[in-house]
Amino acid sequence: MKMKKTFQFFKTGLISLIVLFTIGFLAIEGCNKKETQVPKVTDFFYSGCNDVVLHADYLRDNDYPYTDTIYVTTVEGTKLKISTTNTPFSCGTDTVRPEINAQGQSVIIALRYEDPWSDCICGRHIDLTLDELTIGQTYAVTLKKNDDDYFQFEVTFGTDTNLMFVVEN
């Protein structure tokens, strides 16, 4: 009888230790788990045509002579704002929307638009804000117009990020 009680006590104690160990392990693992942040576009704006509009007869014999200045700055301490001043699009483009593909520190932002036939090209102002970035992390950012690369840069995101790039054609 005494052996039966000892075995029962041992069995109960062993089960209790296994349960406590499992709960402790899960609690520690849950505390160590880092939430993965995936960058996303939270604000987006595009303008109508800027002042300079170049028509087909000019474009047949000349390149589109544009200078696009791109500003990359921290806003609200936790977001990265990308602004372009003169990104060339067809004059007939009515709608531009951002599509983001982020994997790790690689961020690709495609500016999707319908490419209607138009006899002119003009520059447009674009603003977009990236959220869910990690301070101190370096990101490789690619801007595309539909599927064509437009501009690429690297940025180490910080509370005081303030960069300027000039794209000339």
Side-chain angles (χ1 to χ4, degrees), residues 102-130:
Q103 295 185 358
Q105 288 73 45
S106 174
V107 179
I108 299 170
I109 303 164
L111 302 171
R112 299 285 181 199
Y113 61 97
E114 292 293 319
D115 196 6
W117 182 87
S118 183
D119 66 348
C120 63
I121 292 195
C122 66
R124 295 176 186 262
H125 176 86
I126 305 246
D127 280 338
L128 63 90
T129 303
L130 288 177

Side-chain angles (χ1 to χ4, degrees), residues 88-90 93 95-97 111-116 145-146:
F89 286 94
S90 167
T93 301
T95 303
V96 178
R97 63 179 171 78
L111 302 171
R112 299 285 181 199
Y113 61 97
E114 292 293 319
D115 196 6
K145 289 175 37 187
N146 278 336

